[in-house]
Amino acid sequence: MTKCFRSHVTLGAALLLAGAMSFAQDGAATYKAKCAMCHGPAGTPSAGMQKAMGIKPVSDPSMRTLTESQIAATVKNGQGKMKPVTGLTDAQVKDVAAYFKTLK
Ligand code: HEC
């Protein structure tokens, strides 16, 4: 997997355009648009979210061990309190799963 994510420049714009699917092409943009509101801007959910919904930060050991395909499956099928994330192509699911793995 290439580590070539042009993340930070496009993040602000991605937030503004959250929901504009044609824009959310790379993993970082998809993450901002579809995951960050629950999982936090860098993979650490707010304390409230962690408590209310039981979302773990990406630094948690159980998150660290997830494989890219497990993450992709969670995005597509949901898991526990997380509903399936809709409106993504297979390529976008793959990209966002790969991006999720890069979060520390
Ligand atoms: C509406 C809030 C919400 C959104 C949006 C959301 N998640 Fe989650 N996510 C959760 C919650 C809640 C959990 C904890 C699920 C549980 O175990 O009950 C979770 C858990 C996870 C897990 C851990 C699953 C496991 O096997 O333990 C991964 C990976 C994950 N989310 C990735 C993503 C990605 C990638 C996106 C964006 C495409 C995303 N989530 C969008 C709420 C959300």
Side-chain angles (χ1 to χ4, degrees):
M1 205 57 223
T2 164
K3 290 232 165 70
C4 183
F5 296 109
R6 288 175 295 115
S7 45
H8 298 293
V9 194
T10 50
L11 293 188
L15 265 182
L16 290 174
L17 292 174
M21 287 321 303
S22 57
F23 182 81
Q25 286 259 318
D26 74 4
T30 303
Y31 181 84
K32 281 289 154 193
K34 293 285 188 178
C35 322
M37 65 284 226
C38 292
H39 287 273
T44 303
S46 69
M49 272 294 184
Q50 294 192 32
K51 221 174 155 202
M53 295 190 66
I55 312 180
K56 298 192 179 102
V58 289
S59 56
D60 189 277
S62 73
M63 287 296 235
R64 295 245 64 104
T65 55
L66 294 174
T67 63
E68 209 176 294
S69 57
Q70 284 174 319
I71 297 169
T74 295
V75 172
K76 282 184 134 178
N77 308 322
Q79 153 126 2
K81 293 206 195 91
M82 180 175 153
K83 298 215 168 65
V85 178
T86 55
L88 296 177
T89 64
D90 283 353
Q92 286 173 326
V93 170
K94 201 168 174 292
D95 282 354
V96 80
Y99 177 74
F100 199 86
K101 284 292 289 176
T102 69
L103 298 174
K104 300 254 154 45

